[in-house]
Amino acid sequence: MRVLLVLFSLLCSVAAAEPPEERARSLAAEGRKAFEAEDYALAIERYEAAYQLKPAPGLLFNIGQCHRKAGRYDEALGYFRRYLDSMPPQSQAKVTEEVIAEVEAQRYERLKQEAAERTRQAEELRVAAARAEAELASQRLAFELSRREAPPTPLTQRWYL
């Protein structure tokens, strides 16, 4: 047990002794591995931790890509724009602007699909409400008909005549 405690304290002191720049590189490498494994939540976590230690603009682009792959287009656009605000080289800025255009198109398509789905659901609800209303009207009519008295028997058909 004591050996484990000593080992744990040594590991903690080694981790604490690691310079922030090295730790940031290590976290960025973990983020890259998570991205390649399509674990975008973990990749975002690692890249953001690396950015906190060393605010390298390229990490903003990487975080944006993670959000994009995860389908969170608004967050992705925010990170890509922050990356552009960092004044990257012209070639990278051009690529980022193209990526932004693609993300905006993907976001628009998703919004269109969501709107179409909501329209379809609203139509289904309207049809269901119309059916329920028709069923209720039918039940009211049946009730009204059952309450009416039977017409009187004509005199010629009465038993006593």
Side-chain angles (χ1 to χ4, degrees), residues 35 40 44 47 59-71 76 79-80 99 102-103:
F35 182 84
Y40 303 119
I44 290 168
Y47 282 138
L59 292 171
L60 294 172
F61 185 86
N62 293 348
I63 296 168
Q65 283 290 63
C66 293
H67 281 292
R68 175 186 182 191
K69 292 288 191 171
Y79 279 100
F80 289 138
V99 169
E102 289 174 16
V103 172

Side-chain angles (χ1 to χ4, degrees), residues 18-29 45-63 82-83 86:
E18 185 178 24
E21 218 170 272
E22 285 299 315
R23 181 71 181 135
R25 270 195 212 106
S26 172
L27 286 166
E45 180 184 309
R46 295 298 190 254
Y47 282 138
E48 285 179 343
Y51 187 78
Q52 292 299 317
L53 292 171
K54 183 169 181 3
L59 292 171
L60 294 172
F61 185 86
N62 293 348
I63 296 168
R82 281 178 60 191
Y83 175 69
S86 73

Side-chain angles (χ1 to χ4, degrees), residues 106-119:
Q106 291 169 327
R107 181 176 172 268
Y108 174 74
E109 283 302 313
R110 176 184 280 166
L111 290 174
K112 258 180 35 178
Q113 290 171 352
E114 289 172 356
E117 178 63 19
R118 282 193 300 276
T119 301

Side-chain angles (χ1 to χ4, degrees), residues 122-142:
E123 181 62 21
E124 286 177 358
L125 288 173
R126 189 191 64 73
V127 168
R131 285 184 181 145
E133 191 175 315
E135 179 64 27
L136 183 59
S138 173
Q139 290 174 356
R140 281 188 192 141
L141 181 60

